[in-house]
Amino acid sequence: MLKRIKHLTLFVVLFVAACVTINVYFPAAAIQNAADKIADEVTNPQSQQKQEKKQDIKSELFEKIKGFLSFPKEAYAQDIDVSTPAIRNIKQSMRENFQQLRPFYIRGSVGENNRGFVEMRDTSGLNLKEKADVTRLVEQINKDRTALYAEIVKANKLDSNSLPKVQRIFANSWRSKSQPGWWIQNDNGEWEKK
């Protein structure tokens, strides 16, 4: 009888440990996929409209199948939620500000750093109004990006320690969506033209 209790106790401990392991899983691939889509939507408005139409059709079908099968979230989800009202508002603001900031990317005044934010580079060729505009736009975009990363962590119930990972993943996406000739900061901290 004592041996049976020990086995049962060991089973319970292993079962609890397995549950804890599942809960700390970080969905890096799903976040990378979402980051690529968001970066594309923000930097390329034409692809955003096409993506929304495709997503609406896919979402409807997926929701119907999911409702019919009634799987628990963990069983089917490799996707993350990036469609909360807060995230949609942030993306809209980012699209608008990015389009205004685009000329400054082209001129080399700003670039994408390796932490997922826009950084001022060389503003020596800008007049006072342009310097004020670029400063305001960089601050707003970085504020939006900070809010986006935090909202993704919150909406997907990720551990608060996940925030730096989310930022790094988005940094890769922002840099990959940069146009040739724009400045990006590599993982070693050095700036280079794409």
Side-chain angles (χ1 to χ4, degrees):
M1 181 70 171
L2 185 60
K3 194 173 188 179
R4 189 177 264 181
I5 293 173
K6 285 182 182 178
H7 284 12
L8 184 59
T9 304
L10 179 62
F11 175 76
V12 169
V13 169
L14 289 174
F15 180 76
V16 170
C19 291
V20 170
T21 302
I22 290 170
N23 289 337
V24 296
Y25 167 72
F26 181 76
I31 291 174
Q32 184 65 63
N33 187 33
D36 288 343
K37 287 178 184 176
I38 290 171
D40 197 39
E41 289 175 18
V42 169
T43 61
N44 187 0
Q46 291 80 20
S47 73
Q48 184 261 338
Q49 292 170 345
K50 293 176 189 173
Q51 184 66 27
E52 282 179 357
K53 288 178 184 174
K54 285 182 189 175
Q55 191 63 27
D56 288 345
I57 294 168
K58 286 180 182 178
S59 294
E60 277 183 42
L61 181 60
F62 184 69
E63 289 300 319
K64 287 178 184 176
I65 292 170
K66 182 176 80 174
F68 178 72
L69 297 175
S70 299
F71 286 129
K73 184 176 180 181
E74 294 79 19
Y76 66 80
Q78 285 300 316
D79 287 334
I80 61 166
D81 185 5
V82 292
S83 62
T84 67
I87 291 174
R88 286 194 303 269
N89 289 337
I90 293 166
K91 289 192 301 186
Q92 180 61 35
S93 174
M94 290 169 67
R95 276 192 292 272
E96 293 166 3
N97 289 316
F98 185 85
Q99 294 311 312
Q100 294 177 49
L101 194 59
R102 182 180 292 276
F104 297 107
Y105 278 101
I106 293 168
R107 293 171 74 175
S109 304
V110 297
E112 291 290 341
N113 70 24
N114 61 8
R115 295 178 320 280
F117 296 100
V118 178
E119 193 168 314
M120 302 281 281
R121 295 259 318 126
D122 180 14
T123 60
S124 60
L126 303 178
N127 64 38
L128 287 177
K129 182 186 178 323
E130 290 172 324
K131 285 181 183 178
D133 288 345
V134 75
T135 300
R136 176 186 52 79
L137 289 166
V138 166
E139 287 174 2
Q140 183 59 49
I141 283 181
N142 287 338
K143 180 181 169 188
D144 286 342
R145 288 186 182 186
T146 299
L148 175 70
Y149 305 150
E151 185 63 27
I152 287 172
V153 168
K154 178 183 165 188
N156 293 284
K157 297 176 178 64
L158 300 174
D159 185 85
S160 61
N161 295 332
S162 299
L163 186 61
K165 294 177 190 175
V166 170
Q167 287 180 218
R168 277 193 302 277
I169 290 170
F170 268 87
N172 291 334
S173 294
W174 296 122
R175 292 181 292 180
S176 74
K177 299 297 179 181
S178 293
Q179 301 294 312
W182 292 7
W183 287 96
I184 58 172
Q185 187 180 37
N186 65 29
D187 291 336
N188 297 328
E190 298 166 356
W191 286 92
E192 56 192 35
K193 282 191 174 185
K194 184 173 176 188

